[in-house]
Structure formats: C-alpha cells, structure tokens
Amino acid sequence: MKVAYWPGCVSRGFTPELHGSMAKVAPLLDLELIELDRAACCGAGVIAEHNQELADTLNARTFALAQQTDGELMMNICSTCQGSQSECQERLDANGEYRSFINQNLADEGLAYEKGLTNKNLLWLLVEEIGLDTLRSKVKRPLTDLKVGPFYGCYIVRPVTRLGIDEEHPRDRYMHMVIEALGGTVIDYAGVYKCCGFPIITMNKQASLKMAGRHLGDALDADADCLVVPCPLCHLNLDLQQPLAAKEVNRELGLPVLHLPQLLGLALGLEPKELGMSKHVVKPTSVIDWSASVVAGAPA
Amino acid sequence: MRDYGLLNEAELLPRSYGGNSWFGKFHPAAGKELLSSLSTVIIGVARGKVSPKIAMFGHKLPKPDLDAIKRIYAKVEGRPERVELNLYVSGYEDEPQPVAAGVGSSGEGDQSASSESEKS
C-alpha cells in the first residue's frame, strides 16, 4: 500500500528514532512511504487558536501536496498532527466557499485542496487498512509476557465526533487491540487517556512534569514494563523529561516509553538498537532484557 | 514556525520567555529556564536524541517552500480582519429581553447581537 507520509516536525527533530523506526517498519508492513518533505508544521492547534485562516491554509497546503502523490491516502505518525489536521479538514470539507477562499492563498504555488482526503494516523491505518489478522500474521517475535501500557494522550481521542470514534470505529481502543495482536499484555492504568502535560510545559513546567510523573508512576504501580505512545510530543514529556518528572513526584521512575513503530518493529523481528531505542533518555532495559530472553529462548 | 516552516522544539522555551526571535535564548529570563533544563539537554545530546546542530539552528523546509510559507503568513496576517469559520457556534444571540415595567435599568446587558463571521 502506497501512502502520502507526513512524519511531522518532532519526529525529524527531537525524536529522530520515531522517523527512523517508521522507515524500518514500513516495508515489513508492505507500506510504501511517499514523504511529504515540502509540507509545513500542522500548527499543533496553537496556530489555529492564534489565526484560524493561517492554520487552515498551512494544512490545506499539506493536504494538496498529499493529493498530488499517487498515495491511496495520507498517513501521519503524530497524534497531535492528526488532531490539528482533523480540525482544519473538518472546516475545509464543511464549506465549499470557505475552501475556495483558503485555496486562493495557495494559488501562487499552483496548489489546491479538494474535499475528501483520507488522513489516518499509523494506529488507525494498522487496524482499518492493514487489519489485525494481517498484522498478527506478520509477527515474528510475539510480545509474550511483555506488559505494555498504552498512552493515547489527547489529540487522537478527543473530540470523538471529529475523530470518527464510534462503535464501528473504536479508535480509542485501537492501541489495546494492536498490543494484543502483537502478543503483548495490555496494562490498564489511570493515565491511559490523560494529557501528558507537554502543552503546558512552557507555561507551568512544574505542573507539566507532575502530570507526566504521575502517569508514569501509575503505570509502574500497575506493573507495566513499558509505555507505548502514538505521539512524539507525549514522548518528549514522558521520556526526555522523565528524570525531571521523577524529581517532581518524588519517586524513582525509570519506565521505558516506546513509540508505536518501535513496538511494532520489536514484534516484527527488528532489534531494539535498529529501532533507535539507544537514543531514549530512559534506557529501555526491561524491553531489551525481554527481547534478549525471547531470542535466547527461541529454538535454534 | 514562520522562520523555519517546521516546529523547532528547542526554540519553544527560550522564545516563550525571551521574546520571539532566535536571540530569545540570550534573554536573562530564558537563560534561567534553559539552565533548569540543562541536565535534560545534556542527556538528550549524549544519547544522540538531540543533535546539537538542530538544537542550536533548528531544521528548516527547503528554501522555495519556506518562502511560500512566509508569503502565506504575510498575506493572512496582513488582513485587516480575521476570517473565521465556526462550525459549532453560528447564528445570532437572542435579542435582549424587554425590560419589565417598574424595574430600573441603565441599559446594562443590552449587548449587541454578535455572530461568528461565518462565510456561508
């Protein structure tokens, strides 16, 4: 399957292991990625608050670039991008006059967004396009006995109507379903659907770190070996900032946090180092130990 | 975003405290905040998670695309009035209720009808 691939900004900035692991995992999932390397930041919802027309224009430009490719749909690996792009697309698709108005801002580049682009986060694409049965059939190293806590964050689960979450598409359960399809054990804990704290880190660092620390502590108390996130901004707060978060909540943490493609890669047979796990601030020792014991235990 | 076309995480904190330019990081208020994050930055750089080049100078879109983004900013932000489409709040607020006889009123609460500027 060929997709117009939007990696977002952070996966090419402070979480390069996300972009790198997606590139490694894609061929194993029969995904051909056409990278949208001319597209701009989605605005993360912040630009839309400041100036809606600006955010809608920037995202319409990204959508138009995606529509110029021969990808079947657009795929992203950042739930913040998914949330903010869905918000802009909802307006662009709802009103033809408004869409034409926005497209005028793109005219000097010869671009125009046409209503009806399908833009899916990797998580949604895994379940809805690839399918859990196919995913199961590709697993080479089942995540048996690996206890994984899903951390959805905000942008991929709220608001439910805009994000197309309903009985037919229980997208707020997809991470649970994927972990199980990969053979892992899902750990439910208090922070599964809570905010990681990143959006307020520049305004109130202490509160932001406390939020991250509390979720990590809750997952540890529930006996998780690691968390998995569909959002690199959540990863920044939960992994990069984890040493500071530990100080805020006054306890030892040391819980590895994996990007979704990294968890997939482990189950599809890739090694932790290939998936960039050595770049994490919190060394994913429990995951690497698990990986080593599975490989050691495998029949020769 | 206007300067790079992409989000530069390293600029979020200094620009929030030291002003919206690359030089914001040299502002004393930003310096204090950066100092409190120094341990995080050092670990990130040591692990290869954060490249010093990207941390200092950011990552940018190719020049023609960055120029296009700057033109979009100039055009949209140069408009005298914001254009917005609100899908959730539309129409007009209720007309002010007539004031009951005998009740003193100075006209407070006589709000003008307002609407979200909806382009439809």
Side-chain angles (χ1 to χ4, degrees), chain B residues 35-71:
Chain B
L35 207 59
S36 72
S37 300
L38 197 60
S39 59
T40 307
V41 175
I42 290 170
I43 298 173
V45 171
R47 295 277 157 81
K49 187 175 178 67
V50 180
S51 126
K53 188 181 163 199
I54 286 185
M56 280 305 287
F57 302 108
H59 50 165
K60 283 184 181 179
L61 284 182
K63 191 168 184 318
D65 294 295
L66 184 54
D67 289 345
I69 299 303
K70 286 180 176 175
R71 283 197 300 275

PDB file of all heavy atoms in Angstrom, chain B residues 35-71:
ATOM      1  N   LEU B  35      18.633  26.981  31.886  1.00  0.00           N
ATOM      2  CA  LEU B  35      19.551  26.395  32.862  1.00  0.00           C
ATOM      3  C   LEU B  35      18.878  25.254  33.634  1.00  0.00           C
ATOM      4  O   LEU B  35      19.488  24.219  33.900  1.00  0.00           O
ATOM      5  CB  LEU B  35      20.005  27.486  33.841  1.00  0.00           C
ATOM      6  CG  LEU B  35      21.368  27.302  34.493  1.00  0.00           C
ATOM      7  CD1 LEU B  35      22.465  27.228  33.433  1.00  0.00           C
ATOM      8  CD2 LEU B  35      21.672  28.442  35.462  1.00  0.00           C
ATOM      9  N   SER B  36      17.580  25.461  33.934  1.00  0.00           N
ATOM     10  CA  SER B  36      16.867  24.421  34.696  1.00  0.00           C
ATOM     11  C   SER B  36      16.642  23.166  33.851  1.00  0.00           C
ATOM     12  O   SER B  36      16.331  22.103  34.371  1.00  0.00           O
ATOM     13  CB  SER B  36      15.524  24.956  35.206  1.00  0.00           C
ATOM     14  OG  SER B  36      14.616  25.093  34.136  1.00  0.00           O
ATOM     15  N   SER B  37      16.779  23.299  32.521  1.00  0.00           N
ATOM     16  CA  SER B  37      16.588  22.136  31.651  1.00  0.00           C
ATOM     17  C   SER B  37      17.911  21.574  31.144  1.00  0.00           C
ATOM     18  O   SER B  37      17.923  20.687  30.293  1.00  0.00           O
ATOM     19  CB  SER B  37      15.733  22.529  30.434  1.00  0.00           C
ATOM     20  OG  SER B  37      14.488  23.001  30.837  1.00  0.00           O
ATOM     21  N   LEU B  38      19.003  22.137  31.656  1.00  0.00           N
ATOM     22  CA  LEU B  38      20.324  21.769  31.124  1.00  0.00           C
ATOM     23  C   LEU B  38      20.606  20.272  31.223  1.00  0.00           C
ATOM     24  O   LEU B  38      21.123  19.654  30.287  1.00  0.00           O
ATOM     25  CB  LEU B  38      21.414  22.571  31.855  1.00  0.00           C
ATOM     26  CG  LEU B  38      22.778  22.612  31.171  1.00  0.00           C
ATOM     27  CD1 LEU B  38      22.665  23.234  29.783  1.00  0.00           C
ATOM     28  CD2 LEU B  38      23.784  23.401  32.011  1.00  0.00           C
ATOM     29  N   SER B  39      20.226  19.679  32.367  1.00  0.00           N
ATOM     30  CA  SER B  39      20.503  18.243  32.549  1.00  0.00           C
ATOM     31  C   SER B  39      19.776  17.419  31.485  1.00  0.00           C
ATOM     32  O   SER B  39      20.325  16.470  30.926  1.00  0.00           O
ATOM     33  CB  SER B  39      20.085  17.792  33.947  1.00  0.00           C
ATOM     34  OG  SER B  39      18.712  18.046  34.141  1.00  0.00           O
ATOM     35  N   THR B  40      18.559  17.819  31.164  1.00  0.00           N
ATOM     36  CA  THR B  40      17.779  17.113  30.139  1.00  0.00           C
ATOM     37  C   THR B  40      18.469  17.234  28.784  1.00  0.00           C
ATOM     38  O   THR B  40      18.586  16.257  28.044  1.00  0.00           O
ATOM     39  CB  THR B  40      16.360  17.727  30.042  1.00  0.00           C
ATOM     40  OG1 THR B  40      15.786  17.749  31.334  1.00  0.00           O
ATOM     41  CG2 THR B  40      15.480  16.961  29.086  1.00  0.00           C
ATOM     42  N   VAL B  41      18.905  18.451  28.483  1.00  0.00           N
ATOM     43  CA  VAL B  41      19.543  18.697  27.188  1.00  0.00           C
ATOM     44  C   VAL B  41      20.824  17.864  27.065  1.00  0.00           C
ATOM     45  O   VAL B  41      21.073  17.229  26.029  1.00  0.00           O
ATOM     46  CB  VAL B  41      19.873  20.206  27.014  1.00  0.00           C
ATOM     47  CG1 VAL B  41      20.643  20.459  25.727  1.00  0.00           C
ATOM     48  CG2 VAL B  41      18.594  21.030  27.039  1.00  0.00           C
ATOM     49  N   ILE B  42      21.612  17.839  28.147  1.00  0.00           N
ATOM     50  CA  ILE B  42      22.883  17.094  28.111  1.00  0.00           C
ATOM     51  C   ILE B  42      22.632  15.601  27.871  1.00  0.00           C
ATOM     52  O   ILE B  42      23.281  14.982  27.023  1.00  0.00           O
ATOM     53  CB  ILE B  42      23.690  17.324  29.415  1.00  0.00           C
ATOM     54  CG1 ILE B  42      24.198  18.773  29.438  1.00  0.00           C
ATOM     55  CG2 ILE B  42      24.858  16.364  29.514  1.00  0.00           C
ATOM     56  CD1 ILE B  42      24.804  19.208  30.756  1.00  0.00           C
ATOM     57  N   ILE B  43      21.655  15.042  28.588  1.00  0.00           N
ATOM     58  CA  ILE B  43      21.349  13.613  28.385  1.00  0.00           C
ATOM     59  C   ILE B  43      20.879  13.381  26.953  1.00  0.00           C
ATOM     60  O   ILE B  43      21.303  12.430  26.290  1.00  0.00           O
ATOM     61  CB  ILE B  43      20.269  13.115  29.380  1.00  0.00           C
ATOM     62  CG1 ILE B  43      20.768  13.243  30.822  1.00  0.00           C
ATOM     63  CG2 ILE B  43      19.908  11.659  29.098  1.00  0.00           C
ATOM     64  CD1 ILE B  43      19.707  12.940  31.875  1.00  0.00           C
ATOM     65  N   GLY B  44      20.012  14.262  26.477  1.00  0.00           N
ATOM     66  CA  GLY B  44      19.480  14.122  25.111  1.00  0.00           C
ATOM     67  C   GLY B  44      20.579  14.156  24.067  1.00  0.00           C
ATOM     68  O   GLY B  44      20.595  13.343  23.136  1.00  0.00           O
ATOM     69  N   VAL B  45      21.521  15.079  24.242  1.00  0.00           N
ATOM     70  CA  VAL B  45      22.635  15.182  23.289  1.00  0.00           C
ATOM     71  C   VAL B  45      23.536  13.953  23.391  1.00  0.00           C
ATOM     72  O   VAL B  45      23.939  13.360  22.388  1.00  0.00           O
ATOM     73  CB  VAL B  45      23.442  16.486  23.519  1.00  0.00           C
ATOM     74  CG1 VAL B  45      24.717  16.489  22.692  1.00  0.00           C
ATOM     75  CG2 VAL B  45      22.595  17.710  23.177  1.00  0.00           C
ATOM     76  N   ALA B  46      23.812  13.536  24.631  1.00  0.00           N
ATOM     77  CA  ALA B  46      24.705  12.380  24.841  1.00  0.00           C
ATOM     78  C   ALA B  46      24.130  11.111  24.214  1.00  0.00           C
ATOM     79  O   ALA B  46      24.872  10.281  23.686  1.00  0.00           O
ATOM     80  CB  ALA B  46      24.931  12.169  26.341  1.00  0.00           C
ATOM     81  N   ARG B  47      22.819  10.958  24.254  1.00  0.00           N
ATOM     82  CA  ARG B  47      22.191   9.748  23.708  1.00  0.00           C
ATOM     83  C   ARG B  47      22.024   9.833  22.194  1.00  0.00           C
ATOM     84  O   ARG B  47      21.567   8.887  21.558  1.00  0.00           O
ATOM     85  CB  ARG B  47      20.815   9.523  24.345  1.00  0.00           C
ATOM     86  CG  ARG B  47      20.847   9.222  25.810  1.00  0.00           C
ATOM     87  CD  ARG B  47      21.117   7.736  26.077  1.00  0.00           C
ATOM     88  NE  ARG B  47      21.663   7.551  27.421  1.00  0.00           N
ATOM     89  CZ  ARG B  47      20.956   7.509  28.531  1.00  0.00           C
ATOM     90  NH1 ARG B  47      19.647   7.592  28.479  1.00  0.00           N
ATOM     91  NH2 ARG B  47      21.544   7.359  29.699  1.00  0.00           N
ATOM     92  N   GLY B  48      22.298  10.994  21.616  1.00  0.00           N
ATOM     93  CA  GLY B  48      22.122  11.147  20.170  1.00  0.00           C
ATOM     94  C   GLY B  48      20.678  11.427  19.799  1.00  0.00           C
ATOM     95  O   GLY B  48      20.282  11.383  18.640  1.00  0.00           O
ATOM     96  N   LYS B  49      19.863  11.699  20.824  1.00  0.00           N
ATOM     97  CA  LYS B  49      18.451  12.003  20.573  1.00  0.00           C
ATOM     98  C   LYS B  49      18.315  13.414  20.012  1.00  0.00           C
ATOM     99  O   LYS B  49      17.505  13.680  19.140  1.00  0.00           O
ATOM    100  CB  LYS B  49      17.686  11.880  21.891  1.00  0.00           C
ATOM    101  CG  LYS B  49      16.198  11.995  21.785  1.00  0.00           C
ATOM    102  CD  LYS B  49      15.581  11.732  23.153  1.00  0.00           C
ATOM    103  CE  LYS B  49      14.082  11.876  23.135  1.00  0.00           C
ATOM    104  NZ  LYS B  49      13.420  10.843  22.337  1.00  0.00           N
ATOM    105  N   VAL B  50      19.119  14.286  20.557  1.00  0.00           N
ATOM    106  CA  VAL B  50      19.075  15.689  20.150  1.00  0.00           C
ATOM    107  C   VAL B  50      20.398  16.033  19.489  1.00  0.00           C
ATOM    108  O   VAL B  50      21.445  15.903  20.109  1.00  0.00           O
ATOM    109  CB  VAL B  50      18.862  16.594  21.383  1.00  0.00           C
ATOM    110  CG1 VAL B  50      18.822  18.045  20.972  1.00  0.00           C
ATOM    111  CG2 VAL B  50      17.605  16.203  22.132  1.00  0.00           C
ATOM    112  N   SER B  51      20.351  16.453  18.237  1.00  0.00           N
ATOM    113  CA  SER B  51      21.592  16.858  17.577  1.00  0.00           C
ATOM    114  C   SER B  51      21.899  18.311  17.967  1.00  0.00           C
ATOM    115  O   SER B  51      21.013  19.164  17.941  1.00  0.00           O
ATOM    116  CB  SER B  51      21.433  16.709  16.056  1.00  0.00           C
ATOM    117  OG  SER B  51      21.749  17.887  15.402  1.00  0.00           O
ATOM    118  N   PRO B  52      23.143  18.603  18.371  1.00  0.00           N
ATOM    119  CA  PRO B  52      23.470  19.979  18.765  1.00  0.00           C
ATOM    120  C   PRO B  52      23.159  20.986  17.654  1.00  0.00           C
ATOM    121  O   PRO B  52      22.703  22.097  17.927  1.00  0.00           O
ATOM    122  CB  PRO B  52      24.981  19.919  19.033  1.00  0.00           C
ATOM    123  CG  PRO B  52      25.284  18.483  19.301  1.00  0.00           C
ATOM    124  CD  PRO B  52      24.299  17.697  18.510  1.00  0.00           C
ATOM    125  N   LYS B  53      23.353  20.557  16.414  1.00  0.00           N
ATOM    126  CA  LYS B  53      23.086  21.469  15.284  1.00  0.00           C
ATOM    127  C   LYS B  53      21.596  21.820  15.225  1.00  0.00           C
ATOM    128  O   LYS B  53      21.218  22.985  15.081  1.00  0.00           O
ATOM    129  CB  LYS B  53      23.523  20.789  13.974  1.00  0.00           C
ATOM    130  CG  LYS B  53      23.478  21.697  12.770  1.00  0.00           C
ATOM    131  CD  LYS B  53      23.893  20.953  11.524  1.00  0.00           C
ATOM    132  CE  LYS B  53      23.453  21.731  10.279  1.00  0.00           C
ATOM    133  NZ  LYS B  53      23.429  20.895   9.100  1.00  0.00           N
ATOM    134  N   ILE B  54      20.762  20.776  15.364  1.00  0.00           N
ATOM    135  CA  ILE B  54      19.316  21.035  15.328  1.00  0.00           C
ATOM    136  C   ILE B  54      18.891  21.839  16.552  1.00  0.00           C
ATOM    137  O   ILE B  54      18.058  22.736  16.462  1.00  0.00           O
ATOM    138  CB  ILE B  54      18.529  19.704  15.214  1.00  0.00           C
ATOM    139  CG1 ILE B  54      18.663  19.160  13.787  1.00  0.00           C
ATOM    140  CG2 ILE B  54      17.054  19.895  15.563  1.00  0.00           C
ATOM    141  CD1 ILE B  54      17.860  17.921  13.481  1.00  0.00           C
ATOM    142  N   ALA B  55      19.499  21.528  17.710  1.00  0.00           N
ATOM    143  CA  ALA B  55      19.148  22.267  18.928  1.00  0.00           C
ATOM    144  C   ALA B  55      19.471  23.754  18.787  1.00  0.00           C
ATOM    145  O   ALA B  55      18.726  24.612  19.244  1.00  0.00           O
ATOM    146  CB  ALA B  55      19.866  21.677  20.133  1.00  0.00           C
ATOM    147  N   MET B  56      20.587  24.059  18.137  1.00  0.00           N
ATOM    148  CA  MET B  56      21.003  25.464  18.006  1.00  0.00           C
ATOM    149  C   MET B  56      20.326  26.176  16.834  1.00  0.00           C
ATOM    150  O   MET B  56      19.875  27.304  16.951  1.00  0.00           O
ATOM    151  CB  MET B  56      22.528  25.537  17.813  1.00  0.00           C
ATOM    152  CG  MET B  56      23.328  25.413  19.102  1.00  0.00           C
ATOM    153  SD  MET B  56      22.852  26.621  20.349  1.00  0.00           S
ATOM    154  CE  MET B  56      23.545  28.125  19.667  1.00  0.00           C
ATOM    155  N   PHE B  57      20.302  25.493  15.697  1.00  0.00           N
ATOM    156  CA  PHE B  57      19.868  26.190  14.480  1.00  0.00           C
ATOM    157  C   PHE B  57      18.557  25.664  13.886  1.00  0.00           C
ATOM    158  O   PHE B  57      18.054  26.217  12.916  1.00  0.00           O
ATOM    159  CB  PHE B  57      20.987  26.135  13.424  1.00  0.00           C
ATOM    160  CG  PHE B  57      22.266  26.739  13.924  1.00  0.00           C
ATOM    161  CD1 PHE B  57      23.359  25.948  14.244  1.00  0.00           C
ATOM    162  CD2 PHE B  57      22.372  28.111  14.128  1.00  0.00           C
ATOM    163  CE1 PHE B  57      24.528  26.502  14.738  1.00  0.00           C
ATOM    164  CE2 PHE B  57      23.543  28.680  14.618  1.00  0.00           C
ATOM    165  CZ  PHE B  57      24.634  27.874  14.926  1.00  0.00           C
ATOM    166  N   GLY B  58      18.035  24.571  14.463  1.00  0.00           N
ATOM    167  CA  GLY B  58      16.747  24.062  14.009  1.00  0.00           C
ATOM    168  C   GLY B  58      16.818  23.352  12.675  1.00  0.00           C
ATOM    169  O   GLY B  58      17.873  23.258  12.056  1.00  0.00           O
ATOM    170  N   HIS B  59      15.682  22.815  12.260  1.00  0.00           N
ATOM    171  CA  HIS B  59      15.578  22.217  10.932  1.00  0.00           C
ATOM    172  C   HIS B  59      14.572  23.032  10.140  1.00  0.00           C
ATOM    173  O   HIS B  59      13.595  23.523  10.691  1.00  0.00           O
ATOM    174  CB  HIS B  59      15.222  20.726  10.982  1.00  0.00           C
ATOM    175  CG  HIS B  59      14.048  20.385  11.854  1.00  0.00           C
ATOM    176  ND1 HIS B  59      13.387  19.195  11.810  1.00  0.00           N
ATOM    177  CD2 HIS B  59      13.406  21.108  12.816  1.00  0.00           C
ATOM    178  CE1 HIS B  59      12.402  19.189  12.680  1.00  0.00           C
ATOM    179  NE2 HIS B  59      12.404  20.328  13.310  1.00  0.00           N
ATOM    180  N   LYS B  60      14.859  23.169   8.841  1.00  0.00           N
ATOM    181  CA  LYS B  60      14.049  24.081   8.023  1.00  0.00           C
ATOM    182  C   LYS B  60      13.488  23.374   6.810  1.00  0.00           C
ATOM    183  O   LYS B  60      14.062  22.383   6.343  1.00  0.00           O
ATOM    184  CB  LYS B  60      14.920  25.230   7.502  1.00  0.00           C
ATOM    185  CG  LYS B  60      15.236  26.291   8.493  1.00  0.00           C
ATOM    186  CD  LYS B  60      16.013  27.419   7.828  1.00  0.00           C
ATOM    187  CE  LYS B  60      16.354  28.479   8.868  1.00  0.00           C
ATOM    188  NZ  LYS B  60      17.126  29.585   8.311  1.00  0.00           N
ATOM    189  N   LEU B  61      12.434  23.934   6.271  1.00  0.00           N
ATOM    190  CA  LEU B  61      11.944  23.474   4.974  1.00  0.00           C
ATOM    191  C   LEU B  61      12.911  23.946   3.891  1.00  0.00           C
ATOM    192  O   LEU B  61      13.645  24.922   4.098  1.00  0.00           O
ATOM    193  CB  LEU B  61      10.567  24.097   4.687  1.00  0.00           C
ATOM    194  CG  LEU B  61       9.356  23.520   5.413  1.00  0.00           C
ATOM    195  CD1 LEU B  61       8.096  24.250   4.952  1.00  0.00           C
ATOM    196  CD2 LEU B  61       9.214  22.030   5.166  1.00  0.00           C
ATOM    197  N   PRO B  62      12.900  23.276   2.714  1.00  0.00           N
ATOM    198  CA  PRO B  62      13.700  23.795   1.604  1.00  0.00           C
ATOM    199  C   PRO B  62      13.289  25.250   1.291  1.00  0.00           C
ATOM    200  O   PRO B  62      12.132  25.622   1.507  1.00  0.00           O
ATOM    201  CB  PRO B  62      13.327  22.869   0.448  1.00  0.00           C
ATOM    202  CG  PRO B  62      12.774  21.634   1.088  1.00  0.00           C
ATOM    203  CD  PRO B  62      12.175  22.061   2.390  1.00  0.00           C
ATOM    204  N   LYS B  63      14.231  26.019   0.786  1.00  0.00           N
ATOM    205  CA  LYS B  63      14.001  27.462   0.640  1.00  0.00           C
ATOM    206  C   LYS B  63      12.731  27.833  -0.148  1.00  0.00           C
ATOM    207  O   LYS B  63      11.961  28.682   0.308  1.00  0.00           O
ATOM    208  CB  LYS B  63      15.232  28.130   0.010  1.00  0.00           C
ATOM    209  CG  LYS B  63      15.151  29.642   0.096  1.00  0.00           C
ATOM    210  CD  LYS B  63      16.437  30.321  -0.234  1.00  0.00           C
ATOM    211  CE  LYS B  63      16.363  31.824  -0.054  1.00  0.00           C
ATOM    212  NZ  LYS B  63      15.166  32.468  -0.512  1.00  0.00           N
ATOM    213  N   PRO B  64      12.484  27.207  -1.301  1.00  0.00           N
ATOM    214  CA  PRO B  64      11.261  27.617  -2.031  1.00  0.00           C
ATOM    215  C   PRO B  64       9.990  27.395  -1.215  1.00  0.00           C
ATOM    216  O   PRO B  64       9.058  28.207  -1.270  1.00  0.00           O
ATOM    217  CB  PRO B  64      11.264  26.710  -3.270  1.00  0.00           C
ATOM    218  CG  PRO B  64      12.651  26.182  -3.388  1.00  0.00           C
ATOM    219  CD  PRO B  64      13.241  26.182  -2.028  1.00  0.00           C
ATOM    220  N   ASP B  65       9.975  26.321  -0.444  1.00  0.00           N
ATOM    221  CA  ASP B  65       8.790  26.040   0.377  1.00  0.00           C
ATOM    222  C   ASP B  65       8.711  26.991   1.567  1.00  0.00           C
ATOM    223  O   ASP B  65       7.629  27.461   1.911  1.00  0.00           O
ATOM    224  CB  ASP B  65       8.815  24.582   0.848  1.00  0.00           C
ATOM    225  CG  ASP B  65       8.682  23.627  -0.320  1.00  0.00           C
ATOM    226  OD1 ASP B  65       7.626  23.626  -0.960  1.00  0.00           O
ATOM    227  OD2 ASP B  65       9.665  22.923  -0.623  1.00  0.00           O
ATOM    228  N   LEU B  66       9.857  27.271   2.154  1.00  0.00           N
ATOM    229  CA  LEU B  66       9.869  28.220   3.270  1.00  0.00           C
ATOM    230  C   LEU B  66       9.425  29.602   2.793  1.00  0.00           C
ATOM    231  O   LEU B  66       8.653  30.292   3.467  1.00  0.00           O
ATOM    232  CB  LEU B  66      11.273  28.283   3.894  1.00  0.00           C
ATOM    233  CG  LEU B  66      11.418  29.161   5.135  1.00  0.00           C
ATOM    234  CD1 LEU B  66      10.406  28.785   6.221  1.00  0.00           C
ATOM    235  CD2 LEU B  66      12.825  29.054   5.708  1.00  0.00           C
ATOM    236  N   ASP B  67       9.864  29.988   1.607  1.00  0.00           N
ATOM    237  CA  ASP B  67       9.425  31.278   1.044  1.00  0.00           C
ATOM    238  C   ASP B  67       7.911  31.289   0.846  1.00  0.00           C
ATOM    239  O   ASP B  67       7.247  32.305   1.095  1.00  0.00           O
ATOM    240  CB  ASP B  67      10.139  31.548  -0.287  1.00  0.00           C
ATOM    241  CG  ASP B  67      11.621  31.877  -0.087  1.00  0.00           C
ATOM    242  OD1 ASP B  67      12.001  32.170   1.075  1.00  0.00           O
ATOM    243  OD2 ASP B  67      12.395  31.822  -1.067  1.00  0.00           O
ATOM    244  N   ALA B  68       7.374  30.159   0.373  1.00  0.00           N
ATOM    245  CA  ALA B  68       5.919  30.073   0.168  1.00  0.00           C
ATOM    246  C   ALA B  68       5.177  30.221   1.500  1.00  0.00           C
ATOM    247  O   ALA B  68       4.155  30.906   1.593  1.00  0.00           O
ATOM    248  CB  ALA B  68       5.565  28.737  -0.481  1.00  0.00           C
ATOM    249  N   ILE B  69       5.734  29.590   2.544  1.00  0.00           N
ATOM    250  CA  ILE B  69       5.104  29.686   3.873  1.00  0.00           C
ATOM    251  C   ILE B  69       5.145  31.140   4.372  1.00  0.00           C
ATOM    252  O   ILE B  69       4.166  31.657   4.915  1.00  0.00           O
ATOM    253  CB  ILE B  69       5.829  28.760   4.891  1.00  0.00           C
ATOM    254  CG1 ILE B  69       5.745  27.293   4.451  1.00  0.00           C
ATOM    255  CG2 ILE B  69       5.271  28.932   6.307  1.00  0.00           C
ATOM    256  CD1 ILE B  69       4.368  26.738   4.255  1.00  0.00           C
ATOM    257  N   LYS B  70       6.265  31.797   4.131  1.00  0.00           N
ATOM    258  CA  LYS B  70       6.380  33.195   4.576  1.00  0.00           C
ATOM    259  C   LYS B  70       5.391  34.097   3.834  1.00  0.00           C
ATOM    260  O   LYS B  70       4.833  35.034   4.406  1.00  0.00           O
ATOM    261  CB  LYS B  70       7.822  33.693   4.382  1.00  0.00           C
ATOM    262  CG  LYS B  70       8.774  33.099   5.421  1.00  0.00           C
ATOM    263  CD  LYS B  70      10.200  33.581   5.250  1.00  0.00           C
ATOM    264  CE  LYS B  70      11.074  33.026   6.373  1.00  0.00           C
ATOM    265  NZ  LYS B  70      12.484  33.346   6.231  1.00  0.00           N
ATOM    266  N   ARG B  71       5.180  33.796   2.546  1.00  0.00           N
ATOM    267  CA  ARG B  71       4.195  34.578   1.772  1.00  0.00           C
ATOM    268  C   ARG B  71       2.786  34.354   2.340  1.00  0.00           C
ATOM    269  O   ARG B  71       1.995  35.294   2.429  1.00  0.00           O
ATOM    270  CB  ARG B  71       4.238  34.182   0.291  1.00  0.00           C
ATOM    271  CG  ARG B  71       5.415  34.766  -0.483  1.00  0.00           C
ATOM    272  CD  ARG B  71       5.179  34.690  -1.984  1.00  0.00           C
ATOM    273  NE  ARG B  71       4.998  33.325  -2.461  1.00  0.00           N
ATOM    274  CZ  ARG B  71       6.000  32.488  -2.785  1.00  0.00           C
ATOM    275  NH1 ARG B  71       7.261  32.893  -2.685  1.00  0.00           N
ATOM    276  NH2 ARG B  71       5.748  31.272  -3.226  1.00  0.00           N
TER     277      ARG B  71
END
